[in-house]
Short mmCIF file of all heavy atoms in Angstrom, two decimals:
data_model
loop_
_atom_site.label_atom_id
_atom_site.label_comp_id
_atom_site.label_asym_id
_atom_site.label_seq_id
_atom_site.Cartn_x
_atom_site.Cartn_y
_atom_site.Cartn_z
N MET A 25 48.61 -129.53 -37.80
CA MET A 25 47.46 -130.40 -37.88
C MET A 25 47.99 -131.82 -37.93
O MET A 25 49.11 -132.05 -38.18
CB MET A 25 46.65 -130.08 -39.13
CG MET A 25 46.23 -128.64 -39.35
SD MET A 25 45.36 -127.69 -38.09
CE MET A 25 44.40 -128.77 -37.16
N GLY A 26 47.20 -132.79 -37.76
CA GLY A 26 47.69 -134.15 -37.84
C GLY A 26 47.65 -134.72 -39.23
O GLY A 26 48.40 -135.61 -39.57
N THR A 27 46.80 -134.19 -40.08
CA THR A 27 46.58 -134.75 -41.40
C THR A 27 46.88 -133.72 -42.46
O THR A 27 46.48 -132.58 -42.34
CB THR A 27 45.11 -135.22 -41.55
OG1 THR A 27 44.81 -136.11 -40.49
CG2 THR A 27 44.89 -135.90 -42.86
N ASP A 28 47.58 -134.14 -43.49
CA ASP A 28 47.81 -133.26 -44.63
C ASP A 28 46.79 -133.58 -45.70
O ASP A 28 46.63 -134.72 -46.11
CB ASP A 28 49.22 -133.46 -45.18
CG ASP A 28 50.28 -132.98 -44.21
OD1 ASP A 28 50.05 -131.95 -43.56
OD2 ASP A 28 51.34 -133.61 -44.13
N PHE A 29 46.08 -132.57 -46.15
CA PHE A 29 45.08 -132.74 -47.19
C PHE A 29 45.64 -132.27 -48.51
O PHE A 29 46.56 -131.46 -48.56
CB PHE A 29 43.82 -131.94 -46.85
CG PHE A 29 43.10 -132.45 -45.63
CD1 PHE A 29 43.27 -131.84 -44.40
CD2 PHE A 29 42.25 -133.53 -45.73
CE1 PHE A 29 42.61 -132.31 -43.27
CE2 PHE A 29 41.57 -134.00 -44.60
CZ PHE A 29 41.76 -133.39 -43.38
N ALA A 30 45.06 -132.75 -49.61
CA ALA A 30 45.48 -132.33 -50.94
C ALA A 30 44.25 -132.30 -51.85
O ALA A 30 43.26 -132.98 -51.60
CB ALA A 30 46.51 -133.29 -51.50
N VAL A 31 44.34 -131.49 -52.90
CA VAL A 31 43.27 -131.44 -53.89
C VAL A 31 43.05 -132.85 -54.45
O VAL A 31 44.01 -133.58 -54.73
CB VAL A 31 43.63 -130.45 -55.01
CG1 VAL A 31 42.62 -130.53 -56.15
CG2 VAL A 31 43.69 -129.03 -54.46
N GLY A 32 41.80 -133.26 -54.55
CA GLY A 32 41.46 -134.58 -55.04
C GLY A 32 41.18 -135.59 -53.94
O GLY A 32 40.62 -136.66 -54.20
N ASP A 33 41.53 -135.25 -52.68
CA ASP A 33 41.26 -136.16 -51.56
C ASP A 33 39.76 -136.28 -51.32
O ASP A 33 39.02 -135.28 -51.35
CB ASP A 33 41.90 -135.66 -50.27
CG ASP A 33 43.40 -135.89 -50.22
OD1 ASP A 33 43.93 -136.63 -51.08
OD2 ASP A 33 44.04 -135.33 -49.30
N LYS A 34 39.30 -137.49 -51.07
CA LYS A 34 37.91 -137.77 -50.70
C LYS A 34 37.82 -137.62 -49.18
O LYS A 34 38.64 -138.18 -48.45
CB LYS A 34 37.56 -139.19 -51.13
CG LYS A 34 36.15 -139.57 -50.89
CD LYS A 34 35.30 -139.18 -52.06
CE LYS A 34 33.93 -139.83 -51.88
NZ LYS A 34 32.90 -139.09 -52.53
N VAL A 35 36.85 -136.84 -48.71
CA VAL A 35 36.73 -136.57 -47.28
C VAL A 35 35.29 -136.78 -46.80
O VAL A 35 34.35 -136.76 -47.58
CB VAL A 35 37.18 -135.14 -46.92
CG1 VAL A 35 38.65 -134.94 -47.21
CG2 VAL A 35 36.34 -134.10 -47.63
N LYS A 36 35.17 -136.98 -45.49
CA LYS A 36 33.88 -137.04 -44.82
C LYS A 36 33.86 -135.91 -43.80
O LYS A 36 34.82 -135.72 -43.05
CB LYS A 36 33.68 -138.38 -44.12
CG LYS A 36 32.34 -138.51 -43.43
CD LYS A 36 32.12 -139.89 -42.87
CE LYS A 36 30.74 -140.01 -42.28
NZ LYS A 36 30.49 -141.38 -41.80
N ILE A 37 32.75 -135.19 -43.76
CA ILE A 37 32.60 -134.11 -42.79
C ILE A 37 32.06 -134.71 -41.50
O ILE A 37 30.98 -135.27 -41.48
CB ILE A 37 31.66 -133.02 -43.33
CG1 ILE A 37 32.24 -132.44 -44.62
CG2 ILE A 37 31.44 -131.94 -42.28
CD1 ILE A 37 31.29 -131.53 -45.37
N LEU A 38 32.86 -134.63 -40.46
CA LEU A 38 32.45 -135.16 -39.16
C LEU A 38 31.53 -134.18 -38.45
O LEU A 38 30.60 -134.56 -37.76
CB LEU A 38 33.68 -135.45 -38.30
CG LEU A 38 34.70 -136.42 -38.91
CD1 LEU A 38 35.93 -136.52 -38.02
CD2 LEU A 38 34.08 -137.78 -39.16
N GLU A 39 31.84 -132.89 -38.62
CA GLU A 39 31.08 -131.85 -37.94
C GLU A 39 31.38 -130.53 -38.64
O GLU A 39 32.52 -130.24 -38.98
CB GLU A 39 31.53 -131.78 -36.48
CG GLU A 39 30.88 -130.71 -35.66
CD GLU A 39 31.45 -130.63 -34.26
OE1 GLU A 39 32.19 -131.52 -33.85
OE2 GLU A 39 31.15 -129.64 -33.59
N GLY A 40 30.37 -129.74 -38.88
CA GLY A 40 30.61 -128.41 -39.40
C GLY A 40 29.66 -127.99 -40.49
O GLY A 40 29.29 -128.76 -41.36
N HIS A 41 29.24 -126.75 -40.42
CA HIS A 41 28.39 -126.11 -41.42
C HIS A 41 27.04 -126.79 -41.58
O HIS A 41 26.36 -126.60 -42.58
CB HIS A 41 29.08 -126.07 -42.79
CG HIS A 41 30.36 -125.32 -42.82
ND1 HIS A 41 30.46 -123.99 -42.51
CD2 HIS A 41 31.62 -125.71 -43.15
CE1 HIS A 41 31.71 -123.59 -42.64
NE2 HIS A 41 32.42 -124.61 -43.02
N GLY A 42 26.65 -127.67 -40.66
CA GLY A 42 25.39 -128.38 -40.80
C GLY A 42 25.44 -129.51 -41.81
O GLY A 42 24.41 -130.04 -42.22
N PHE A 43 26.64 -129.89 -42.24
CA PHE A 43 26.81 -130.95 -43.24
C PHE A 43 27.36 -132.23 -42.63
O PHE A 43 27.98 -133.04 -43.31
CB PHE A 43 27.74 -130.47 -44.36
CG PHE A 43 27.24 -129.25 -45.08
CD1 PHE A 43 27.97 -128.08 -45.08
CD2 PHE A 43 26.03 -129.27 -45.76
CE1 PHE A 43 27.52 -126.95 -45.74
CE2 PHE A 43 25.56 -128.14 -46.43
CZ PHE A 43 26.31 -126.98 -46.42
N ASP A 44 27.12 -132.44 -41.34
CA ASP A 44 27.66 -133.60 -40.62
C ASP A 44 27.35 -134.90 -41.35
O ASP A 44 26.20 -135.15 -41.75
CB ASP A 44 27.09 -133.67 -39.21
CG ASP A 44 27.37 -132.41 -38.40
OD1 ASP A 44 27.83 -131.41 -38.98
OD2 ASP A 44 27.13 -132.44 -37.19
N GLY A 45 28.37 -135.74 -41.54
CA GLY A 45 28.19 -137.05 -42.14
C GLY A 45 28.25 -137.07 -43.66
O GLY A 45 28.32 -138.14 -44.26
N LYS A 46 28.24 -135.91 -44.30
CA LYS A 46 28.29 -135.87 -45.76
C LYS A 46 29.72 -136.11 -46.26
O LYS A 46 30.68 -135.91 -45.54
CB LYS A 46 27.75 -134.55 -46.28
CG LYS A 46 26.27 -134.38 -46.01
CD LYS A 46 25.69 -133.25 -46.80
CE LYS A 46 24.18 -133.18 -46.53
NZ LYS A 46 23.48 -132.55 -47.59
N THR A 47 29.81 -136.53 -47.51
CA THR A 47 31.12 -136.77 -48.12
C THR A 47 31.32 -135.80 -49.28
O THR A 47 30.36 -135.23 -49.81
CB THR A 47 31.23 -138.21 -48.64
OG1 THR A 47 30.19 -138.44 -49.59
CG2 THR A 47 31.15 -139.22 -47.50
N GLY A 48 32.58 -135.64 -49.64
CA GLY A 48 32.91 -134.75 -50.75
C GLY A 48 34.35 -134.91 -51.15
O GLY A 48 35.07 -135.79 -50.66
N VAL A 49 34.77 -134.05 -52.05
CA VAL A 49 36.13 -134.06 -52.57
C VAL A 49 36.72 -132.67 -52.41
O VAL A 49 36.05 -131.67 -52.67
CB VAL A 49 36.14 -134.46 -54.07
CG1 VAL A 49 37.53 -134.37 -54.65
CG2 VAL A 49 35.57 -135.85 -54.26
N ILE A 50 37.98 -132.62 -51.98
CA ILE A 50 38.66 -131.33 -51.91
C ILE A 50 38.95 -130.89 -53.34
O ILE A 50 39.62 -131.60 -54.09
CB ILE A 50 39.96 -131.43 -51.09
CG1 ILE A 50 39.62 -131.74 -49.62
CG2 ILE A 50 40.75 -130.12 -51.20
CD1 ILE A 50 40.82 -131.94 -48.73
N ILE A 51 38.39 -129.74 -53.72
CA ILE A 51 38.55 -129.28 -55.10
C ILE A 51 39.52 -128.10 -55.23
O ILE A 51 39.91 -127.74 -56.33
CB ILE A 51 37.20 -128.89 -55.73
CG1 ILE A 51 36.53 -127.77 -54.95
CG2 ILE A 51 36.30 -130.10 -55.86
CD1 ILE A 51 35.36 -127.11 -55.68
N LYS A 52 39.87 -127.48 -54.09
CA LYS A 52 40.74 -126.32 -54.17
C LYS A 52 41.52 -126.14 -52.89
O LYS A 52 40.98 -126.27 -51.80
CB LYS A 52 39.91 -125.07 -54.45
CG LYS A 52 40.73 -123.82 -54.60
CD LYS A 52 39.86 -122.61 -54.92
CE LYS A 52 40.72 -121.37 -55.04
NZ LYS A 52 39.92 -120.16 -55.19
N ASP A 53 42.80 -125.83 -53.05
CA ASP A 53 43.64 -125.37 -51.95
C ASP A 53 43.46 -123.86 -51.93
O ASP A 53 43.92 -123.16 -52.84
CB ASP A 53 45.08 -125.75 -52.22
CG ASP A 53 46.07 -125.20 -51.21
OD1 ASP A 53 45.71 -124.28 -50.44
OD2 ASP A 53 47.21 -125.69 -51.18
N GLY A 54 42.75 -123.37 -50.95
CA GLY A 54 42.43 -121.95 -50.88
C GLY A 54 43.59 -121.08 -50.42
O GLY A 54 43.45 -119.86 -50.35
N GLY A 55 44.72 -121.69 -50.07
CA GLY A 55 45.86 -120.91 -49.61
C GLY A 55 45.61 -120.28 -48.26
O GLY A 55 44.69 -120.66 -47.54
N LEU A 56 46.42 -119.31 -47.94
CA LEU A 56 46.25 -118.61 -46.67
C LEU A 56 45.25 -117.48 -46.86
O LEU A 56 45.34 -116.70 -47.79
CB LEU A 56 47.59 -118.02 -46.19
CG LEU A 56 48.61 -119.03 -45.71
CD1 LEU A 56 49.92 -118.30 -45.36
CD2 LEU A 56 48.10 -119.78 -44.50
N GLN A 57 44.28 -117.43 -45.98
CA GLN A 57 43.24 -116.40 -46.03
C GLN A 57 43.41 -115.48 -44.83
O GLN A 57 43.60 -115.92 -43.70
CB GLN A 57 41.85 -117.04 -45.99
CG GLN A 57 41.57 -117.95 -47.15
CD GLN A 57 41.54 -117.21 -48.47
OE1 GLN A 57 40.95 -116.14 -48.58
NE2 GLN A 57 42.18 -117.77 -49.47
N ASN A 58 43.35 -114.19 -45.08
CA ASN A 58 43.46 -113.20 -44.02
C ASN A 58 42.10 -113.04 -43.35
O ASN A 58 41.14 -112.62 -43.98
CB ASN A 58 43.92 -111.85 -44.59
CG ASN A 58 44.19 -110.82 -43.52
OD1 ASN A 58 43.74 -110.95 -42.39
ND2 ASN A 58 44.92 -109.80 -43.87
N LEU A 59 42.04 -113.41 -42.08
CA LEU A 59 40.79 -113.33 -41.33
C LEU A 59 40.65 -112.02 -40.58
O LEU A 59 39.75 -111.84 -39.77
CB LEU A 59 40.67 -114.51 -40.37
CG LEU A 59 40.67 -115.88 -41.03
CD1 LEU A 59 40.46 -116.96 -40.00
CD2 LEU A 59 39.62 -115.97 -42.12
N GLY A 60 41.57 -111.10 -40.83
CA GLY A 60 41.47 -109.78 -40.22
C GLY A 60 42.40 -109.61 -39.04
O GLY A 60 43.16 -110.49 -38.66
N VAL A 61 42.33 -108.44 -38.44
CA VAL A 61 43.22 -108.08 -37.34
C VAL A 61 42.64 -108.57 -36.02
O VAL A 61 41.46 -108.38 -35.74
CB VAL A 61 43.42 -106.55 -37.31
CG1 VAL A 61 44.26 -106.13 -36.12
CG2 VAL A 61 44.06 -106.08 -38.61
N ARG A 62 43.47 -109.22 -35.24
CA ARG A 62 43.09 -109.69 -33.91
C ARG A 62 44.02 -109.05 -32.88
O ARG A 62 45.21 -108.89 -33.13
CB ARG A 62 43.23 -111.21 -33.80
CG ARG A 62 42.46 -112.00 -34.84
CD ARG A 62 40.99 -112.10 -34.46
NE ARG A 62 40.29 -113.03 -35.30
CZ ARG A 62 39.51 -112.67 -36.31
NH1 ARG A 62 39.37 -111.42 -36.62
NH2 ARG A 62 38.86 -113.58 -37.01
N LYS A 63 43.49 -108.71 -31.73
CA LYS A 63 44.31 -108.16 -30.66
C LYS A 63 44.85 -109.30 -29.82
O LYS A 63 44.10 -110.13 -29.33
CB LYS A 63 43.50 -107.21 -29.79
CG LYS A 63 44.31 -106.55 -28.69
CD LYS A 63 43.52 -105.46 -28.02
CE LYS A 63 44.20 -104.78 -26.87
NZ LYS A 63 45.59 -104.91 -26.68
N LEU A 64 46.15 -109.35 -29.70
CA LEU A 64 46.82 -110.35 -28.88
C LEU A 64 47.80 -109.64 -27.95
O LEU A 64 48.76 -109.03 -28.42
CB LEU A 64 47.59 -111.36 -29.74
CG LEU A 64 46.74 -112.20 -30.69
CD1 LEU A 64 47.64 -112.99 -31.63
CD2 LEU A 64 45.87 -113.15 -29.90
N GLY A 65 47.54 -109.70 -26.66
CA GLY A 65 48.44 -109.05 -25.72
C GLY A 65 48.48 -107.55 -25.98
O GLY A 65 47.47 -106.88 -26.03
N GLU A 66 49.69 -107.05 -26.19
CA GLU A 66 49.91 -105.62 -26.37
C GLU A 66 49.70 -105.15 -27.81
O GLU A 66 49.59 -103.97 -28.06
CB GLU A 66 51.33 -105.24 -25.92
CG GLU A 66 51.59 -105.50 -24.45
CD GLU A 66 50.73 -104.62 -23.55
OE1 GLU A 66 50.59 -103.42 -23.83
OE2 GLU A 66 50.19 -105.17 -22.57
N GLY A 67 49.69 -106.09 -28.75
CA GLY A 67 49.64 -105.68 -30.15
C GLY A 67 48.43 -106.21 -30.89
O GLY A 67 47.63 -106.97 -30.37
N LYS A 68 48.34 -105.76 -32.12
CA LYS A 68 47.29 -106.25 -33.02
C LYS A 68 47.99 -106.91 -34.20
O LYS A 68 48.97 -106.39 -34.72
CB LYS A 68 46.41 -105.11 -33.51
CG LYS A 68 45.57 -104.49 -32.42
CD LYS A 68 44.67 -103.40 -32.97
CE LYS A 68 43.80 -102.82 -31.88
NZ LYS A 68 42.91 -101.77 -32.39
N TYR A 69 47.47 -108.05 -34.62
CA TYR A 69 48.13 -108.83 -35.67
C TYR A 69 47.11 -109.33 -36.67
O TYR A 69 45.98 -109.66 -36.31
CB TYR A 69 48.85 -110.04 -35.06
CG TYR A 69 49.84 -109.67 -34.00
CD1 TYR A 69 49.47 -109.62 -32.67
CD2 TYR A 69 51.14 -109.33 -34.34
CE1 TYR A 69 50.38 -109.26 -31.69
CE2 TYR A 69 52.06 -108.96 -33.37
CZ TYR A 69 51.66 -108.93 -32.05
OH TYR A 69 52.56 -108.57 -31.09
N ASN A 70 47.51 -109.40 -37.94
CA ASN A 70 46.69 -110.05 -38.95
C ASN A 70 46.67 -111.55 -38.67
O ASN A 70 47.69 -112.12 -38.28
CB ASN A 70 47.24 -109.81 -40.35
CG ASN A 70 46.84 -108.47 -40.91
OD1 ASN A 70 45.71 -108.04 -40.73
ND2 ASN A 70 47.76 -107.81 -41.56
N THR A 71 45.54 -112.17 -38.84
CA THR A 71 45.39 -113.61 -38.61
C THR A 71 45.18 -114.30 -39.95
O THR A 71 44.25 -113.97 -40.69
CB THR A 71 44.17 -113.88 -37.71
OG1 THR A 71 44.35 -113.17 -36.49
CG2 THR A 71 44.03 -115.37 -37.42
N TYR A 72 46.07 -115.24 -40.27
CA TYR A 72 45.98 -115.99 -41.52
C TYR A 72 45.75 -117.46 -41.21
O TYR A 72 46.41 -118.02 -40.34
CB TYR A 72 47.28 -115.88 -42.33
CG TYR A 72 47.52 -114.50 -42.87
CD1 TYR A 72 48.21 -113.56 -42.13
CD2 TYR A 72 47.06 -114.14 -44.13
CE1 TYR A 72 48.43 -112.28 -42.63
CE2 TYR A 72 47.27 -112.86 -44.63
CZ TYR A 72 47.96 -111.95 -43.88
OH TYR A 72 48.17 -110.69 -44.38
N LEU A 73 44.81 -118.08 -41.90
CA LEU A 73 44.57 -119.51 -41.75
C LEU A 73 44.49 -120.16 -43.13
O LEU A 73 43.97 -119.58 -44.08
CB LEU A 73 43.25 -119.78 -41.01
CG LEU A 73 43.22 -119.50 -39.52
CD1 LEU A 73 41.83 -119.78 -38.96
CD2 LEU A 73 44.25 -120.31 -38.78
N LYS A 74 45.00 -121.38 -43.21
CA LYS A 74 44.95 -122.17 -44.44
C LYS A 74 43.50 -122.58 -44.70
O LYS A 74 42.77 -122.91 -43.77
CB LYS A 74 45.82 -123.40 -44.25
CG LYS A 74 45.81 -124.38 -45.38
CD LYS A 74 46.76 -123.99 -46.42
CE LYS A 74 46.91 -125.15 -47.39
NZ LYS A 74 47.43 -124.73 -48.62
N GLN A 75 43.10 -122.58 -45.96
CA GLN A 75 41.72 -122.90 -46.33
C GLN A 75 41.69 -124.02 -47.37
O GLN A 75 42.55 -124.08 -48.26
CB GLN A 75 41.06 -121.65 -46.92
CG GLN A 75 39.62 -121.85 -47.34
CD GLN A 75 39.10 -120.64 -48.09
OE1 GLN A 75 39.63 -120.28 -49.12
NE2 GLN A 75 38.06 -120.02 -47.56
N TRP A 76 40.71 -124.91 -47.24
CA TRP A 76 40.43 -125.95 -48.22
C TRP A 76 38.98 -125.84 -48.64
O TRP A 76 38.11 -125.59 -47.81
CB TRP A 76 40.66 -127.35 -47.62
CG TRP A 76 42.07 -127.60 -47.23
CD1 TRP A 76 42.59 -127.52 -45.96
CD2 TRP A 76 43.15 -127.95 -48.08
NE1 TRP A 76 43.93 -127.79 -45.99
CE2 TRP A 76 44.31 -128.07 -47.28
CE3 TRP A 76 43.27 -128.16 -49.44
CZ2 TRP A 76 45.55 -128.40 -47.80
CZ3 TRP A 76 44.51 -128.50 -49.96
CH2 TRP A 76 45.62 -128.62 -49.15
N ILE A 77 38.69 -126.04 -49.93
CA ILE A 77 37.32 -126.01 -50.43
C ILE A 77 36.90 -127.44 -50.75
O ILE A 77 37.57 -128.14 -51.51
CB ILE A 77 37.18 -125.14 -51.70
CG1 ILE A 77 37.79 -123.76 -51.50
CG2 ILE A 77 35.72 -125.07 -52.14
CD1 ILE A 77 37.16 -122.93 -50.41
N VAL A 78 35.78 -127.88 -50.15
CA VAL A 78 35.24 -129.23 -50.35
C VAL A 78 33.95 -129.13 -51.15
O VAL A 78 33.05 -128.36 -50.79
CB VAL A 78 34.95 -129.91 -48.98
CG1 VAL A 78 34.28 -131.26 -49.18
CG2 VAL A 78 36.24 -130.05 -48.18
N LYS A 79 33.85 -129.90 -52.23
CA LYS A 79 32.61 -129.98 -53.02
C LYS A 79 31.86 -131.22 -52.56
O LYS A 79 32.37 -132.34 -52.64
CB LYS A 79 32.91 -130.07 -54.51
CG LYS A 79 31.66 -130.03 -55.36
CD LYS A 79 31.99 -129.88 -56.82
CE LYS A 79 30.72 -129.70 -57.63
NZ LYS A 79 31.03 -129.42 -59.03
N LEU A 80 30.64 -131.01 -52.05
CA LEU A 80 29.84 -132.11 -51.51
C LEU A 80 29.33 -133.02 -52.63
O LEU A 80 28.93 -132.55 -53.71
CB LEU A 80 28.66 -131.57 -50.72
CG LEU A 80 29.01 -130.69 -49.51
CD1 LEU A 80 27.74 -130.21 -48.83
CD2 LEU A 80 29.91 -131.43 -48.54
N ASP A 81 29.35 -134.32 -52.36
CA ASP A 81 28.92 -135.31 -53.36
C ASP A 81 27.44 -135.19 -53.70
O ASP A 81 27.06 -135.27 -54.87
CB ASP A 81 29.19 -136.74 -52.86
CG ASP A 81 30.68 -137.06 -52.80
OD1 ASP A 81 31.45 -136.46 -53.57
OD2 ASP A 81 31.05 -137.92 -51.98
N ASP A 82 26.59 -135.02 -52.68
CA ASP A 82 25.15 -135.10 -52.95
C ASP A 82 24.54 -133.84 -53.55
O ASP A 82 23.67 -133.91 -54.40
CB ASP A 82 24.39 -135.53 -51.69
CG ASP A 82 24.53 -134.56 -50.53
OD1 ASP A 82 25.40 -133.66 -50.61
OD2 ASP A 82 23.77 -134.69 -49.56
N THR A 83 25.02 -132.67 -53.14
CA THR A 83 24.40 -131.42 -53.60
C THR A 83 25.28 -130.61 -54.54
O THR A 83 24.80 -129.72 -55.23
CB THR A 83 24.05 -130.51 -52.41
OG1 THR A 83 25.27 -130.16 -51.74
CG2 THR A 83 23.08 -131.18 -51.47
N GLY A 84 26.59 -130.89 -54.52
CA GLY A 84 27.52 -130.10 -55.32
C GLY A 84 27.90 -128.78 -54.67
O GLY A 84 28.66 -128.00 -55.24
N ASP A 85 27.38 -128.53 -53.45
CA ASP A 85 27.74 -127.30 -52.73
C ASP A 85 29.23 -127.28 -52.46
O ASP A 85 29.85 -128.32 -52.22
CB ASP A 85 27.00 -127.20 -51.40
CG ASP A 85 25.52 -126.93 -51.54
OD1 ASP A 85 25.11 -126.42 -52.61
OD2 ASP A 85 24.76 -127.24 -50.61
N GLU A 86 29.81 -126.09 -52.48
CA GLU A 86 31.23 -125.92 -52.15
C GLU A 86 31.33 -125.28 -50.77
O GLU A 86 30.74 -124.23 -50.53
CB GLU A 86 31.92 -125.07 -53.22
CG GLU A 86 31.92 -125.76 -54.57
CD GLU A 86 32.57 -124.96 -55.66
OE1 GLU A 86 33.13 -123.87 -55.40
OE2 GLU A 86 32.52 -125.41 -56.82
N VAL A 87 32.05 -125.94 -49.88
CA VAL A 87 32.14 -125.54 -48.48
C VAL A 87 33.60 -125.28 -48.12
O VAL A 87 34.47 -126.10 -48.43
CB VAL A 87 31.56 -126.65 -47.57
CG1 VAL A 87 31.58 -126.21 -46.12
CG2 VAL A 87 30.16 -127.03 -48.00
N ALA A 88 33.87 -124.16 -47.45
CA ALA A 88 35.23 -123.82 -47.04
C ALA A 88 35.50 -124.33 -45.63
O ALA A 88 34.67 -124.16 -44.74
CB ALA A 88 35.43 -122.31 -47.09
N PHE A 89 36.66 -124.94 -45.46
CA PHE A 89 37.13 -125.35 -44.13
C PHE A 89 38.47 -124.69 -43.89
O PHE A 89 39.37 -124.75 -44.72
CB PHE A 89 37.28 -126.87 -44.03
CG PHE A 89 35.98 -127.58 -43.85
CD1 PHE A 89 35.22 -127.94 -44.94
CD2 PHE A 89 35.50 -127.85 -42.58
CE1 PHE A 89 34.00 -128.57 -44.78
CE2 PHE A 89 34.29 -128.48 -42.41
CZ PHE A 89 33.54 -128.84 -43.52
N PHE A 90 38.60 -124.05 -42.74
CA PHE A 90 39.85 -123.40 -42.37
C PHE A 90 40.67 -124.31 -41.47
O PHE A 90 40.15 -125.23 -40.85
CB PHE A 90 39.57 -122.07 -41.66
CG PHE A 90 39.05 -121.01 -42.59
CD1 PHE A 90 37.70 -120.78 -42.70
CD2 PHE A 90 39.92 -120.28 -43.36
CE1 PHE A 90 37.21 -119.81 -43.56
CE2 PHE A 90 39.46 -119.31 -44.23
CZ PHE A 90 38.09 -119.07 -44.32
N GLU A 91 41.95 -124.02 -41.40
CA GLU A 91 42.93 -124.80 -40.66
C GLU A 91 42.43 -125.20 -39.27
O GLU A 91 42.57 -126.33 -38.86
CB GLU A 91 44.21 -123.98 -40.54
CG GLU A 91 45.37 -124.67 -39.92
CD GLU A 91 46.60 -123.80 -40.02
OE1 GLU A 91 46.50 -122.57 -39.92
OE2 GLU A 91 47.68 -124.37 -40.18
N GLY A 92 41.82 -124.29 -38.55
CA GLY A 92 41.34 -124.58 -37.21
C GLY A 92 40.15 -125.50 -37.17
O GLY A 92 39.73 -125.95 -36.12
N MET A 93 39.57 -125.80 -38.34
CA MET A 93 38.39 -126.66 -38.41
C MET A 93 38.73 -128.03 -39.01
O MET A 93 37.86 -128.87 -39.16
CB MET A 93 37.32 -126.02 -39.30
CG MET A 93 36.83 -124.68 -38.82
SD MET A 93 35.79 -123.89 -40.05
CE MET A 93 34.42 -125.04 -40.14
N LEU A 94 39.98 -128.24 -39.39
CA LEU A 94 40.32 -129.46 -40.13
C LEU A 94 40.12 -130.73 -39.32
O LEU A 94 39.97 -131.80 -39.89
CB LEU A 94 41.75 -129.39 -40.67
CG LEU A 94 41.97 -128.39 -41.79
CD1 LEU A 94 43.40 -128.45 -42.30
CD2 LEU A 94 40.99 -128.60 -42.93
N GLU A 95 40.09 -130.61 -37.99
CA GLU A 95 39.81 -131.80 -37.19
C GLU A 95 38.37 -132.26 -37.39
O GLU A 95 37.99 -133.33 -36.95
CB GLU A 95 40.10 -131.54 -35.71
CG GLU A 95 39.18 -130.54 -35.04
CD GLU A 95 39.55 -129.07 -35.28
OE1 GLU A 95 40.56 -128.81 -35.97
OE2 GLU A 95 38.85 -128.21 -34.76
N LYS A 96 37.57 -131.46 -38.09
CA LYS A 96 36.17 -131.79 -38.30
C LYS A 96 35.93 -132.49 -39.63
O LYS A 96 34.79 -132.79 -39.96
CB LYS A 96 35.33 -130.52 -38.19
CG LYS A 96 35.44 -129.94 -36.79
CD LYS A 96 34.61 -128.71 -36.62
CE LYS A 96 34.81 -128.18 -35.21
NZ LYS A 96 33.83 -127.22 -34.82
N ILE A 97 36.98 -132.71 -40.42
CA ILE A 97 36.87 -133.50 -41.64
C ILE A 97 37.94 -134.59 -41.60
O ILE A 97 38.98 -134.43 -40.95
CB ILE A 97 36.96 -132.66 -42.93
CG1 ILE A 97 38.32 -131.98 -43.07
CG2 ILE A 97 35.84 -131.66 -43.01
CD1 ILE A 97 38.49 -131.23 -44.38
N THR A 98 37.69 -135.70 -42.26
CA THR A 98 38.64 -136.80 -42.24
C THR A 98 38.74 -137.42 -43.65
O THR A 98 37.78 -137.36 -44.42
CB THR A 98 38.24 -137.88 -41.22
OG1 THR A 98 39.28 -138.84 -41.12
CG2 THR A 98 36.94 -138.56 -41.59
N LEU A 99 39.89 -137.96 -43.95
CA LEU A 99 40.07 -138.65 -45.23
C LEU A 99 39.30 -139.96 -45.23
O LEU A 99 39.20 -140.63 -44.21
CB LEU A 99 41.56 -138.95 -45.47
CG LEU A 99 42.47 -137.73 -45.64
CD1 LEU A 99 43.93 -138.17 -45.68
CD2 LEU A 99 42.11 -136.94 -46.89
N ILE A 100 38.73 -140.34 -46.38
CA ILE A 100 38.05 -141.64 -46.50
C ILE A 100 38.57 -142.36 -47.72
O ILE A 100 39.23 -141.80 -48.55
CB ILE A 100 36.52 -141.51 -46.56
CG1 ILE A 100 36.05 -140.59 -47.70
CG2 ILE A 100 35.97 -141.05 -45.24
CD1 ILE A 100 34.55 -140.60 -47.89
#
């Protein structure tokens, strides 16, 4: 990814989960999450992605963002 995030970082959601434009704080490093088995070529492999949990400023909702979605949030 281009940006390294850390717990306590203030972020803005550019796109995702219907929360576009909202701000929040990363409250948890969710670690690697197993998204299940995916078929790739001849084999099947477990797919793991890094997860971050963002607590929204206005509602307090906690939203998960996975590694492949991190381009949709930015540091502010």
Side-chain angles (χ1 to χ4, degrees):
M25 307 308 329
T27 305
D28 292 322
F29 294 99
V31 172
D33 284 349
K34 184 88 169 153
V35 296
K36 181 174 184 177
I37 300 170
L38 303 175
E39 177 185 349
H41 299 300
F43 301 118
D44 302 11
K46 293 194 178 204
T47 58
V49 175
I50 294 176
I51 60 167
K52 182 178 179 187
D53 174 345
L56 289 176
Q57 299 295 315
N58 185 342
L59 300 183
V61 176
R62 304 280 190 259
K63 183 170 177 16
L64 297 171
E66 298 295 317
K68 292 183 178 181
Y69 303 92
N70 279 320
T71 303
Y72 292 89
L73 287 178
K74 176 84 169 160
Q75 180 188 60
W76 296 100
I77 309 298
V78 175
K79 185 170 186 174
L80 299 179
D81 291 333
D82 62 348
T83 63
D85 289 339
E86 296 179 5
V87 183
F89 282 86
F90 289 96
E91 185 173 36
M93 300 171 64
L94 290 183
E95 67 278 359
K96 297 181 182 195
I97 63 176
T98 187
L99 295 172
I100 56 172

